[in-house]
Amino acid sequence: MGVVPNFWIYLFIMGVTGINMPLFNTPATVLLQEKVDEDFLGRVFGVMGMISSIMMPLGMLIFGPLADIVKIEWLLIGTGVLLFIQGFFLVGNKPLVEAGRQIPEPEL
């Protein structure tokens, strides 16, 4: 929204993003289910839920007062750029990429 001047274009982009979110969340959930021991799986998902829940109030606590100082468009552009950069770090993370590789099935 920081770059797109028309609100309807922004809504379209956010709709496409929302439709595509399961393409990212599902593999992440499956990866956790495959790599975490079953005895700890509930705890891991519980912690993930707690981290997800705390982000909204934490974001409001940080970006609410900051929006009084900096234009919201600049905040959206800045956080978008940071997310873009974070994506490169995740793609370049060899242990994460190796954990996501499919294990070849043995031939019968």
Side-chain angles (χ1 to χ4, degrees):
M1 188 164 175
V3 191
V4 179
N6 188 332
F7 184 66
W8 292 106
I9 296 172
Y10 171 76
L11 284 180
F12 175 75
I13 293 170
M14 291 309 294
V16 170
T17 302
I19 291 170
N20 287 315
M21 284 306 291
L23 298 175
F24 298 99
N25 288 338
T26 304
T29 302
V30 169
L31 184 64
L32 281 174
Q33 289 173 335
E34 287 181 348
K35 299 296 180 179
V36 174
D37 186 52
E38 289 183 21
D39 295 336
F40 297 104
L41 199 55
R43 296 175 192 158
V44 169
F45 278 115
V47 170
M48 294 288 287
M50 286 189 305
I51 291 171
S52 298
S53 298
I54 194 66
M55 287 301 129
M56 181 73 77
L58 186 62
M60 286 188 279
L61 184 67
I62 293 170
F63 288 105
L66 191 59
D68 292 335
I69 301 167
V70 180
K71 288 177 62 173
I72 292 177
E73 289 84 6
W74 288 108
L75 288 174
L76 291 169
I77 292 169
T79 53
V81 167
L82 289 174
L83 283 171
F84 190 73
I85 293 169
Q86 179 188 10
F88 283 111
F89 283 111
L90 290 176
V91 168
N93 188 329
K94 291 184 192 236
L96 184 62
V97 171
E98 286 299 318
R101 290 209 192 282
Q102 188 175 11
I103 300 171
E105 294 184 24
E107 296 182 27
L108 296 176

